[in-house]
Amino acid sequence: MMTVLILSQGKCGLSEGVTRYMTAMATGDLMILVFNVIVSQIIGNNFPGSLLKYTPACRLIVFLQGLSIQLSIWFTIAFTFDRFVAICCNKLKARYCTERTANVVISIVSALNIMVNIPLSFRYEPTHVLNNVQWGCRTVTSYLTSPAWAAHRWLNNISNMFLPIPLLLLLNSLTAHHILVASRARRTLKSSRGGPGEMGRDPELKTRRTSIILLFTISGCFMVLSAPITVIHICVGVTQLMAFQGSSSLYVAIRVAFLLMCTSSCTNTCIYALTQRRFREEMKKLLKSPSSLLCKAHY
């Protein structure tokens, strides 16, 4: 929440497009913490008699859990692609890397992920009905036999597990290669003109270094923390994972991998604080006087 408030002020020295992407990523991460951690793991497991046991509430929570994970993933990919275009595609940069394009991309990503996750609400049926009130959620019997559900599972696996990490690796590799080649050429040119001292005062190299640190730290941390659950899904498959009980060592591995994936939603604030001086300054202001920033955000 603090990250969303700080970024929404637009005072971190970032372009408007980058600010939109980073705010969207922070919002997706916040949704994961709320729905996948607080609501599902803490409230759901420790308060068995809560309103979450109503079937409509259970279906809604399942939808929001899947949506929050996919939004966090694809907002990260959208940000990485935006930085790839900004660094590697000079002709496209002026048209694509704008606030308007960022808003359009974020809206399209949100709409597509909402449509993909809507069927999750129909995956479950009530476990029992008491006084005409539906309680609990259990998987419908056709989930493992229906071709439509099989197609939806594969669509979810592709968008959640199989596609994001290779795509991020490809984009980051191309971006890193372009930066290294351009920086090497720039250093050679600067060295021939003004010597080593001229290179040390080059603001363009400093800007590129800051951009690449921010980009690689965000996407690299995401890939490292998401890789375990991706590997498990690839090796075992979703249909087999459903049969394991709490005593299974594989089930424990799955839970740990899920924990790591949820942990990735907590790291971006630390990354921003470590790499962005103005973000640190705004964070200090918020911690010293939280009411002032909340009032600004309200107005």
Side-chain angles (χ1 to χ4, degrees), residues 90-150:
N90 289 328
K91 294 182 179 179
L92 186 60
K93 175 182 176 180
R95 290 181 297 170
Y96 185 84
C97 300
T98 63
E99 181 183 11
R100 180 178 180 275
T101 302
N103 291 332
V104 171
V105 171
I106 291 170
S107 299
I108 292 175
V109 168
S110 301
L112 290 176
N113 282 291
I114 288 173
M115 289 189 291
V116 168
N117 284 279
I118 284 177
L120 290 177
S121 302
F122 301 96
R123 172 183 168 179
Y124 296 96
E125 62 183 4
T127 56
H128 61 279
V129 178
L130 183 62
N131 296 327
N132 293 324
V133 177
Q134 298 179 341
W135 289 89
C137 281
R138 66 182 179 188
T139 303
V140 296
T141 54
S142 61
Y143 181 71
L144 296 178
T145 58
S146 170
W149 279 118

Short mmCIF file of all heavy atoms in Angstrom, two decimals, residues 90-150:
data_model
loop_
_atom_site.label_atom_id
_atom_site.label_comp_id
_atom_site.label_asym_id
_atom_site.label_seq_id
_atom_site.Cartn_x
_atom_site.Cartn_y
_atom_site.Cartn_z
N ASN A 90 14.86 2.17 -30.90
CA ASN A 90 14.81 3.63 -30.91
C ASN A 90 13.67 4.18 -31.77
O ASN A 90 13.06 5.20 -31.43
CB ASN A 90 16.15 4.19 -31.42
CG ASN A 90 17.27 3.98 -30.41
OD1 ASN A 90 17.04 3.98 -29.21
ND2 ASN A 90 18.49 3.78 -30.91
N LYS A 91 13.38 3.53 -32.90
CA LYS A 91 12.31 4.02 -33.77
C LYS A 91 10.93 3.86 -33.14
O LYS A 91 10.05 4.69 -33.35
CB LYS A 91 12.36 3.27 -35.11
CG LYS A 91 13.61 3.56 -35.93
CD LYS A 91 13.57 2.84 -37.26
CE LYS A 91 14.82 3.14 -38.09
NZ LYS A 91 14.80 2.41 -39.39
N LEU A 92 10.74 2.80 -32.37
CA LEU A 92 9.44 2.54 -31.74
C LEU A 92 9.30 3.22 -30.39
O LEU A 92 8.18 3.40 -29.90
CB LEU A 92 9.25 1.02 -31.61
CG LEU A 92 7.91 0.50 -31.10
CD1 LEU A 92 6.77 0.94 -32.01
CD2 LEU A 92 7.96 -1.00 -30.96
N LYS A 93 10.41 3.61 -29.81
CA LYS A 93 10.41 4.14 -28.45
C LYS A 93 9.49 5.33 -28.26
O LYS A 93 8.70 5.38 -27.30
CB LYS A 93 11.84 4.51 -28.06
CG LYS A 93 11.96 5.19 -26.71
CD LYS A 93 13.40 5.57 -26.43
CE LYS A 93 13.52 6.34 -25.11
NZ LYS A 93 14.92 6.71 -24.83
N ALA A 94 9.57 6.30 -29.17
CA ALA A 94 8.79 7.53 -29.01
C ALA A 94 7.29 7.27 -29.04
O ALA A 94 6.51 7.95 -28.35
CB ALA A 94 9.18 8.53 -30.10
N ARG A 95 6.86 6.29 -29.81
CA ARG A 95 5.43 6.01 -29.91
C ARG A 95 4.93 5.06 -28.84
O ARG A 95 3.79 5.17 -28.39
CB ARG A 95 5.12 5.42 -31.30
CG ARG A 95 5.24 6.42 -32.44
CD ARG A 95 4.91 5.76 -33.76
NE ARG A 95 5.86 4.69 -34.08
CZ ARG A 95 5.70 3.83 -35.08
NH1 ARG A 95 4.61 3.87 -35.83
NH2 ARG A 95 6.61 2.91 -35.31
N TYR A 96 5.77 4.10 -28.44
CA TYR A 96 5.31 3.06 -27.52
C TYR A 96 5.50 3.45 -26.05
O TYR A 96 4.61 3.20 -25.23
CB TYR A 96 6.03 1.74 -27.80
CG TYR A 96 5.52 0.59 -26.96
CD1 TYR A 96 4.40 -0.14 -27.38
CD2 TYR A 96 6.14 0.23 -25.76
CE1 TYR A 96 3.91 -1.18 -26.61
CE2 TYR A 96 5.66 -0.82 -25.00
CZ TYR A 96 4.55 -1.53 -25.43
OH TYR A 96 4.07 -2.55 -24.66
N CYS A 97 6.64 4.00 -25.70
CA CYS A 97 6.97 4.26 -24.29
C CYS A 97 6.36 5.57 -23.82
O CYS A 97 7.06 6.55 -23.52
CB CYS A 97 8.49 4.26 -24.10
SG CYS A 97 9.26 2.70 -24.56
N THR A 98 5.04 5.59 -23.77
CA THR A 98 4.30 6.77 -23.33
C THR A 98 3.30 6.38 -22.25
O THR A 98 2.99 5.19 -22.06
CB THR A 98 3.55 7.41 -24.50
OG1 THR A 98 2.57 6.46 -25.01
CG2 THR A 98 4.50 7.78 -25.63
N GLU A 99 2.79 7.38 -21.57
CA GLU A 99 1.79 7.12 -20.53
C GLU A 99 0.52 6.53 -21.12
O GLU A 99 -0.10 5.63 -20.55
CB GLU A 99 1.48 8.41 -19.77
CG GLU A 99 0.46 8.24 -18.65
CD GLU A 99 0.11 9.54 -17.97
OE1 GLU A 99 0.50 10.61 -18.50
OE2 GLU A 99 -0.56 9.50 -16.93
N ARG A 100 0.11 7.04 -22.29
CA ARG A 100 -1.11 6.55 -22.93
C ARG A 100 -0.98 5.07 -23.28
O ARG A 100 -1.89 4.27 -23.02
CB ARG A 100 -1.40 7.36 -24.18
CG ARG A 100 -2.66 6.93 -24.92
CD ARG A 100 -2.92 7.82 -26.13
NE ARG A 100 -4.12 7.39 -26.83
CZ ARG A 100 -4.15 6.43 -27.76
NH1 ARG A 100 -3.04 5.79 -28.07
NH2 ARG A 100 -5.28 6.10 -28.35
N THR A 101 0.15 4.69 -23.87
CA THR A 101 0.36 3.28 -24.21
C THR A 101 0.39 2.42 -22.97
O THR A 101 -0.17 1.31 -22.96
CB THR A 101 1.69 3.12 -24.98
OG1 THR A 101 1.66 3.92 -26.16
CG2 THR A 101 1.91 1.66 -25.37
N ALA A 102 1.03 2.90 -21.91
CA ALA A 102 1.06 2.14 -20.66
C ALA A 102 -0.34 1.90 -20.12
O ALA A 102 -0.68 0.79 -19.68
CB ALA A 102 1.91 2.89 -19.63
N ASN A 103 -1.19 2.93 -20.16
CA ASN A 103 -2.56 2.77 -19.69
C ASN A 103 -3.33 1.77 -20.54
O ASN A 103 -4.11 0.95 -20.02
CB ASN A 103 -3.28 4.12 -19.71
CG ASN A 103 -2.75 5.08 -18.66
OD1 ASN A 103 -2.25 4.66 -17.62
ND2 ASN A 103 -2.85 6.37 -18.93
N VAL A 104 -3.11 1.81 -21.87
CA VAL A 104 -3.79 0.87 -22.76
C VAL A 104 -3.33 -0.55 -22.50
O VAL A 104 -4.14 -1.48 -22.40
CB VAL A 104 -3.55 1.27 -24.24
CG1 VAL A 104 -4.06 0.17 -25.18
CG2 VAL A 104 -4.23 2.58 -24.55
N VAL A 105 -2.01 -0.75 -22.38
CA VAL A 105 -1.46 -2.09 -22.13
C VAL A 105 -1.97 -2.64 -20.81
O VAL A 105 -2.39 -3.80 -20.71
CB VAL A 105 0.07 -2.05 -22.15
CG1 VAL A 105 0.65 -3.38 -21.67
CG2 VAL A 105 0.58 -1.74 -23.56
N ILE A 106 -1.95 -1.82 -19.77
CA ILE A 106 -2.43 -2.27 -18.46
C ILE A 106 -3.90 -2.64 -18.51
O ILE A 106 -4.33 -3.65 -17.93
CB ILE A 106 -2.17 -1.17 -17.40
CG1 ILE A 106 -0.66 -1.03 -17.15
CG2 ILE A 106 -2.89 -1.49 -16.10
CD1 ILE A 106 -0.29 0.17 -16.32
N SER A 107 -4.70 -1.86 -19.23
CA SER A 107 -6.13 -2.15 -19.35
C SER A 107 -6.36 -3.46 -20.11
O SER A 107 -7.20 -4.29 -19.71
CB SER A 107 -6.85 -1.00 -20.07
OG SER A 107 -6.72 0.20 -19.34
N ILE A 108 -5.62 -3.67 -21.21
CA ILE A 108 -5.78 -4.89 -22.00
C ILE A 108 -5.35 -6.12 -21.18
O ILE A 108 -6.04 -7.15 -21.17
CB ILE A 108 -4.97 -4.79 -23.30
CG1 ILE A 108 -5.58 -3.73 -24.23
CG2 ILE A 108 -4.92 -6.15 -24.01
CD1 ILE A 108 -4.78 -3.47 -25.48
N VAL A 109 -4.20 -6.01 -20.50
CA VAL A 109 -3.72 -7.12 -19.67
C VAL A 109 -4.75 -7.46 -18.59
O VAL A 109 -5.05 -8.64 -18.33
CB VAL A 109 -2.36 -6.77 -19.06
CG1 VAL A 109 -1.99 -7.78 -17.97
CG2 VAL A 109 -1.28 -6.76 -20.13
N SER A 110 -5.31 -6.44 -17.97
CA SER A 110 -6.30 -6.67 -16.91
C SER A 110 -7.55 -7.35 -17.47
O SER A 110 -8.05 -8.32 -16.88
CB SER A 110 -6.67 -5.34 -16.25
OG SER A 110 -5.54 -4.70 -15.69
N ALA A 111 -8.04 -6.85 -18.60
CA ALA A 111 -9.26 -7.42 -19.19
C ALA A 111 -9.05 -8.87 -19.61
O ALA A 111 -9.91 -9.74 -19.36
CB ALA A 111 -9.70 -6.57 -20.38
N LEU A 112 -7.93 -9.17 -20.25
CA LEU A 112 -7.66 -10.55 -20.69
C LEU A 112 -7.56 -11.50 -19.50
O LEU A 112 -8.09 -12.62 -19.54
CB LEU A 112 -6.37 -10.59 -21.51
CG LEU A 112 -6.42 -9.95 -22.90
CD1 LEU A 112 -5.05 -9.97 -23.55
CD2 LEU A 112 -7.45 -10.66 -23.78
N ASN A 113 -6.87 -11.07 -18.44
CA ASN A 113 -6.73 -11.94 -17.28
C ASN A 113 -8.04 -12.12 -16.53
O ASN A 113 -8.28 -13.19 -15.96
CB ASN A 113 -5.66 -11.38 -16.35
CG ASN A 113 -4.25 -11.67 -16.82
OD1 ASN A 113 -3.80 -12.80 -16.82
ND2 ASN A 113 -3.56 -10.65 -17.28
N ILE A 114 -8.89 -11.12 -16.53
CA ILE A 114 -10.21 -11.28 -15.93
C ILE A 114 -11.00 -12.34 -16.69
O ILE A 114 -11.63 -13.23 -16.09
CB ILE A 114 -10.97 -9.94 -15.92
CG1 ILE A 114 -10.36 -9.00 -14.87
CG2 ILE A 114 -12.46 -10.15 -15.63
CD1 ILE A 114 -10.92 -7.59 -14.91
N MET A 115 -10.97 -12.28 -18.03
CA MET A 115 -11.69 -13.27 -18.83
C MET A 115 -11.14 -14.67 -18.63
O MET A 115 -11.91 -15.65 -18.57
CB MET A 115 -11.64 -12.87 -20.31
CG MET A 115 -12.47 -11.64 -20.64
SD MET A 115 -12.59 -11.34 -22.43
CE MET A 115 -10.91 -10.86 -22.80
N VAL A 116 -9.82 -14.79 -18.53
CA VAL A 116 -9.22 -16.11 -18.34
C VAL A 116 -9.61 -16.72 -17.00
O VAL A 116 -9.80 -17.95 -16.88
CB VAL A 116 -7.68 -16.01 -18.45
CG1 VAL A 116 -7.01 -17.30 -17.97
CG2 VAL A 116 -7.28 -15.73 -19.89
N ASN A 117 -9.78 -15.89 -15.98
CA ASN A 117 -10.04 -16.40 -14.63
C ASN A 117 -11.51 -16.50 -14.26
O ASN A 117 -11.83 -17.07 -13.22
CB ASN A 117 -9.32 -15.51 -13.60
CG ASN A 117 -7.83 -15.76 -13.55
OD1 ASN A 117 -7.36 -16.69 -12.92
ND2 ASN A 117 -7.07 -14.92 -14.25
N ILE A 118 -12.39 -15.96 -15.09
CA ILE A 118 -13.83 -16.08 -14.81
C ILE A 118 -14.27 -17.54 -14.67
O ILE A 118 -15.04 -17.88 -13.76
CB ILE A 118 -14.65 -15.34 -15.88
CG1 ILE A 118 -14.57 -13.83 -15.64
CG2 ILE A 118 -16.10 -15.80 -15.88
CD1 ILE A 118 -15.29 -13.00 -16.68
N PRO A 119 -13.81 -18.49 -15.53
CA PRO A 119 -14.24 -19.89 -15.36
C PRO A 119 -13.87 -20.50 -14.01
O PRO A 119 -14.51 -21.48 -13.60
CB PRO A 119 -13.52 -20.61 -16.51
CG PRO A 119 -13.30 -19.57 -17.54
CD PRO A 119 -13.03 -18.31 -16.76
N LEU A 120 -12.87 -19.95 -13.30
CA LEU A 120 -12.51 -20.51 -12.00
C LEU A 120 -13.68 -20.47 -11.02
O LEU A 120 -13.79 -21.34 -10.15
CB LEU A 120 -11.32 -19.75 -11.42
CG LEU A 120 -9.97 -19.96 -12.12
CD1 LEU A 120 -8.91 -19.08 -11.46
CD2 LEU A 120 -9.55 -21.42 -12.07
N SER A 121 -14.54 -19.48 -11.17
CA SER A 121 -15.69 -19.38 -10.27
C SER A 121 -16.67 -20.53 -10.46
O SER A 121 -17.41 -20.88 -9.54
CB SER A 121 -16.42 -18.05 -10.50
OG SER A 121 -15.54 -16.96 -10.29
N PHE A 122 -16.67 -21.12 -11.66
CA PHE A 122 -17.60 -22.22 -11.96
C PHE A 122 -16.95 -23.58 -11.76
O PHE A 122 -17.60 -24.60 -12.02
CB PHE A 122 -18.11 -22.08 -13.39
CG PHE A 122 -18.81 -20.78 -13.66
CD1 PHE A 122 -18.12 -19.71 -14.22
CD2 PHE A 122 -20.13 -20.61 -13.32
CE1 PHE A 122 -18.75 -18.51 -14.47
CE2 PHE A 122 -20.78 -19.41 -13.57
CZ PHE A 122 -20.08 -18.35 -14.13
N ARG A 123 -15.72 -23.58 -11.28
CA ARG A 123 -15.04 -24.86 -11.03
C ARG A 123 -15.58 -25.54 -9.78
O ARG A 123 -15.47 -26.75 -9.63
CB ARG A 123 -13.54 -24.61 -10.89
CG ARG A 123 -12.74 -25.81 -10.45
CD ARG A 123 -11.28 -25.47 -10.28
NE ARG A 123 -10.55 -26.52 -9.59
CZ ARG A 123 -9.24 -26.49 -9.32
NH1 ARG A 123 -8.52 -25.45 -9.71
NH2 ARG A 123 -8.66 -27.47 -8.69
N TYR A 124 -16.18 -24.77 -8.89
CA TYR A 124 -16.59 -25.30 -7.59
C TYR A 124 -18.10 -25.31 -7.44
O TYR A 124 -18.82 -24.48 -8.01
CB TYR A 124 -15.97 -24.45 -6.47
CG TYR A 124 -14.47 -24.52 -6.44
CD1 TYR A 124 -13.70 -23.53 -7.07
CD2 TYR A 124 -13.81 -25.56 -5.81
CE1 TYR A 124 -12.32 -23.59 -7.07
CE2 TYR A 124 -12.42 -25.62 -5.80
CZ TYR A 124 -11.69 -24.65 -6.43
OH TYR A 124 -10.31 -24.71 -6.43
N GLU A 125 -18.56 -26.25 -6.65
CA GLU A 125 -19.97 -26.37 -6.30
C GLU A 125 -20.08 -26.50 -4.78
O GLU A 125 -19.09 -26.79 -4.10
CB GLU A 125 -20.57 -27.60 -6.97
CG GLU A 125 -19.95 -28.92 -6.55
CD GLU A 125 -20.52 -30.11 -7.29
OE1 GLU A 125 -21.37 -29.89 -8.19
OE2 GLU A 125 -20.13 -31.25 -6.97
N PRO A 126 -21.26 -26.27 -4.22
CA PRO A 126 -21.41 -26.34 -2.75
C PRO A 126 -21.15 -27.75 -2.24
O PRO A 126 -21.53 -28.75 -2.87
CB PRO A 126 -22.85 -25.92 -2.52
CG PRO A 126 -23.29 -25.26 -3.77
CD PRO A 126 -22.51 -25.86 -4.88
N THR A 127 -20.52 -27.85 -1.09
CA THR A 127 -20.36 -29.16 -0.44
C THR A 127 -21.65 -29.61 0.23
O THR A 127 -21.94 -30.79 0.29
CB THR A 127 -19.23 -29.10 0.59
OG1 THR A 127 -19.50 -28.05 1.53
CG2 THR A 127 -17.89 -28.83 -0.08
N HIS A 128 -22.42 -28.64 0.73
CA HIS A 128 -23.72 -28.96 1.31
C HIS A 128 -24.57 -27.70 1.36
O HIS A 128 -24.06 -26.58 1.25
CB HIS A 128 -23.58 -29.55 2.72
CG HIS A 128 -22.93 -28.64 3.70
ND1 HIS A 128 -21.55 -28.48 3.79
CD2 HIS A 128 -23.46 -27.81 4.65
CE1 HIS A 128 -21.26 -27.62 4.74
NE2 HIS A 128 -22.39 -27.18 5.27
N VAL A 129 -25.88 -27.90 1.51
CA VAL A 129 -26.84 -26.79 1.60
C VAL A 129 -27.56 -26.90 2.93
O VAL A 129 -28.13 -27.94 3.27
CB VAL A 129 -27.85 -26.83 0.43
CG1 VAL A 129 -28.86 -25.70 0.57
CG2 VAL A 129 -27.13 -26.75 -0.90
N LEU A 130 -27.52 -25.83 3.70
CA LEU A 130 -28.14 -25.80 5.02
C LEU A 130 -29.09 -24.60 5.10
O LEU A 130 -28.66 -23.46 4.96
CB LEU A 130 -27.07 -25.69 6.11
CG LEU A 130 -27.55 -25.72 7.56
CD1 LEU A 130 -28.25 -27.04 7.87
CD2 LEU A 130 -26.38 -25.48 8.51
N ASN A 131 -30.37 -24.90 5.30
CA ASN A 131 -31.40 -23.85 5.35
C ASN A 131 -31.37 -22.98 4.10
O ASN A 131 -31.40 -21.73 4.16
CB ASN A 131 -31.23 -22.98 6.60
CG ASN A 131 -31.45 -23.76 7.88
OD1 ASN A 131 -32.26 -24.70 7.93
ND2 ASN A 131 -30.72 -23.40 8.92
N ASN A 132 -31.28 -23.63 2.96
CA ASN A 132 -31.24 -22.97 1.65
C ASN A 132 -30.01 -22.07 1.46
O ASN A 132 -30.01 -21.19 0.60
CB ASN A 132 -32.51 -22.14 1.43
CG ASN A 132 -33.74 -23.01 1.31
OD1 ASN A 132 -33.69 -24.12 0.75
ND2 ASN A 132 -34.87 -22.53 1.83
N VAL A 133 -28.99 -22.29 2.26
CA VAL A 133 -27.74 -21.54 2.14
C VAL A 133 -26.64 -22.49 1.70
O VAL A 133 -26.44 -23.54 2.30
CB VAL A 133 -27.36 -20.87 3.49
CG1 VAL A 133 -26.02 -20.14 3.34
CG2 VAL A 133 -28.44 -19.90 3.93
N GLN A 134 -25.93 -22.13 0.64
CA GLN A 134 -24.86 -22.96 0.11
C GLN A 134 -23.57 -22.74 0.90
O GLN A 134 -23.14 -21.61 1.12
CB GLN A 134 -24.62 -22.64 -1.37
CG GLN A 134 -25.81 -22.92 -2.27
CD GLN A 134 -25.55 -22.56 -3.71
OE1 GLN A 134 -24.64 -21.80 -4.01
NE2 GLN A 134 -26.36 -23.11 -4.61
N TRP A 135 -22.98 -23.87 1.34
CA TRP A 135 -21.75 -23.82 2.13
C TRP A 135 -20.64 -24.61 1.46
O TRP A 135 -20.88 -25.64 0.84
CB TRP A 135 -21.99 -24.40 3.54
CG TRP A 135 -22.83 -23.53 4.42
CD1 TRP A 135 -24.19 -23.55 4.53
CD2 TRP A 135 -22.36 -22.52 5.32
NE1 TRP A 135 -24.61 -22.62 5.44
CE2 TRP A 135 -23.51 -21.96 5.94
CE3 TRP A 135 -21.10 -22.02 5.65
CZ2 TRP A 135 -23.43 -20.94 6.88
CZ3 TRP A 135 -21.01 -21.00 6.59
CH2 TRP A 135 -22.15 -20.47 7.19
N GLY A 136 -19.42 -24.11 1.63
CA GLY A 136 -18.24 -24.83 1.18
C GLY A 136 -18.05 -24.81 -0.33
O GLY A 136 -18.92 -24.37 -1.09
N CYS A 137 -16.90 -25.30 -0.74
CA CYS A 137 -16.58 -25.39 -2.16
C CYS A 137 -15.88 -26.72 -2.43
O CYS A 137 -14.92 -27.07 -1.73
CB CYS A 137 -15.65 -24.24 -2.59
SG CYS A 137 -16.48 -22.67 -2.85
N ARG A 138 -16.35 -27.44 -3.41
CA ARG A 138 -15.66 -28.65 -3.87
C ARG A 138 -15.64 -28.64 -5.38
O ARG A 138 -16.51 -28.08 -6.04
CB ARG A 138 -16.37 -29.90 -3.35
CG ARG A 138 -17.76 -30.11 -3.90
CD ARG A 138 -18.41 -31.35 -3.30
NE ARG A 138 -19.76 -31.53 -3.81
CZ ARG A 138 -20.61 -32.44 -3.34
NH1 ARG A 138 -20.23 -33.23 -2.34
NH2 ARG A 138 -21.82 -32.55 -3.85
N THR A 139 -14.63 -29.25 -5.93
CA THR A 139 -14.45 -29.26 -7.37
C THR A 139 -15.56 -30.06 -8.05
O THR A 139 -15.92 -31.15 -7.60
CB THR A 139 -13.09 -29.87 -7.73
OG1 THR A 139 -12.06 -29.12 -7.08
CG2 THR A 139 -12.86 -29.82 -9.23
N VAL A 140 -16.11 -29.52 -9.12
CA VAL A 140 -17.17 -30.22 -9.84
C VAL A 140 -16.59 -31.50 -10.46
O VAL A 140 -15.40 -31.58 -10.79
CB VAL A 140 -17.77 -29.32 -10.95
CG1 VAL A 140 -18.46 -28.10 -10.33
CG2 VAL A 140 -16.70 -28.87 -11.93
N THR A 141 -17.43 -32.50 -10.60
CA THR A 141 -16.96 -33.82 -11.06
C THR A 141 -16.43 -33.77 -12.49
O THR A 141 -15.59 -34.58 -12.87
CB THR A 141 -18.11 -34.83 -10.99
OG1 THR A 141 -19.24 -34.32 -11.72
CG2 THR A 141 -18.52 -35.06 -9.54
N SER A 142 -16.89 -32.84 -13.28
CA SER A 142 -16.47 -32.77 -14.69
C SER A 142 -15.12 -32.09 -14.87
O SER A 142 -14.61 -32.03 -16.00
CB SER A 142 -17.52 -32.02 -15.52
OG SER A 142 -17.66 -30.68 -15.05
N TYR A 143 -14.51 -31.61 -13.77
CA TYR A 143 -13.27 -30.83 -13.90
C TYR A 143 -12.14 -31.65 -14.50
O TYR A 143 -11.34 -31.15 -15.29
CB TYR A 143 -12.86 -30.28 -12.54
CG TYR A 143 -11.60 -29.44 -12.58
CD1 TYR A 143 -11.61 -28.19 -13.17
CD2 TYR A 143 -10.41 -29.92 -12.05
CE1 TYR A 143 -10.47 -27.41 -13.21
CE2 TYR A 143 -9.25 -29.16 -12.09
CZ TYR A 143 -9.29 -27.90 -12.67
OH TYR A 143 -8.15 -27.15 -12.72
N LEU A 144 -12.06 -32.92 -14.12
CA LEU A 144 -10.96 -33.77 -14.58
C LEU A 144 -11.28 -34.54 -15.87
O LEU A 144 -10.40 -35.18 -16.44
CB LEU A 144 -10.57 -34.77 -13.49
CG LEU A 144 -10.01 -34.16 -12.19
CD1 LEU A 144 -9.70 -35.26 -11.19
CD2 LEU A 144 -8.77 -33.33 -12.49
N THR A 145 -12.53 -34.47 -16.32
CA THR A 145 -12.93 -35.25 -17.49
C THR A 145 -13.33 -34.38 -18.68
O THR A 145 -13.29 -34.85 -19.82
CB THR A 145 -14.09 -36.18 -17.14
OG1 THR A 145 -15.20 -35.40 -16.64
CG2 THR A 145 -13.67 -37.18 -16.07
N SER A 146 -13.73 -33.14 -18.43
CA SER A 146 -14.23 -32.29 -19.50
C SER A 146 -13.09 -31.74 -20.35
O SER A 146 -12.10 -31.22 -19.82
CB SER A 146 -15.04 -31.13 -18.91
OG SER A 146 -15.33 -30.18 -19.90
N PRO A 147 -13.18 -31.82 -21.67
CA PRO A 147 -12.16 -31.22 -22.55
C PRO A 147 -12.06 -29.70 -22.37
O PRO A 147 -10.98 -29.13 -22.49
CB PRO A 147 -12.64 -31.59 -23.96
CG PRO A 147 -13.52 -32.77 -23.77
CD PRO A 147 -14.17 -32.59 -22.44
N ALA A 148 -13.21 -29.06 -22.08
CA ALA A 148 -13.18 -27.62 -21.88
C ALA A 148 -12.35 -27.25 -20.65
O ALA A 148 -11.54 -26.30 -20.68
CB ALA A 148 -14.62 -27.09 -21.73
N TRP A 149 -12.53 -27.99 -19.55
CA TRP A 149 -11.73 -27.73 -18.35
C TRP A 149 -10.26 -28.07 -18.59
O TRP A 149 -9.37 -27.39 -18.07
CB TRP A 149 -12.27 -28.52 -17.17
CG TRP A 149 -13.46 -27.90 -16.51
CD1 TRP A 149 -14.72 -28.41 -16.40
CD2 TRP A 149 -13.49 -26.63 -15.85
NE1 TRP A 149 -15.54 -27.56 -15.72
CE2 TRP A 149 -14.81 -26.44 -15.37
CE3 TRP A 149 -12.55 -25.63 -15.63
CZ2 TRP A 149 -15.19 -25.30 -14.67
CZ3 TRP A 149 -12.93 -24.48 -14.94
CH2 TRP A 149 -14.23 -24.32 -14.47
N ALA A 150 -9.99 -29.10 -19.35
CA ALA A 150 -8.60 -29.44 -19.68
C ALA A 150 -7.94 -28.31 -20.46
O ALA A 150 -6.78 -27.94 -20.20
CB ALA A 150 -8.55 -30.74 -20.47
#
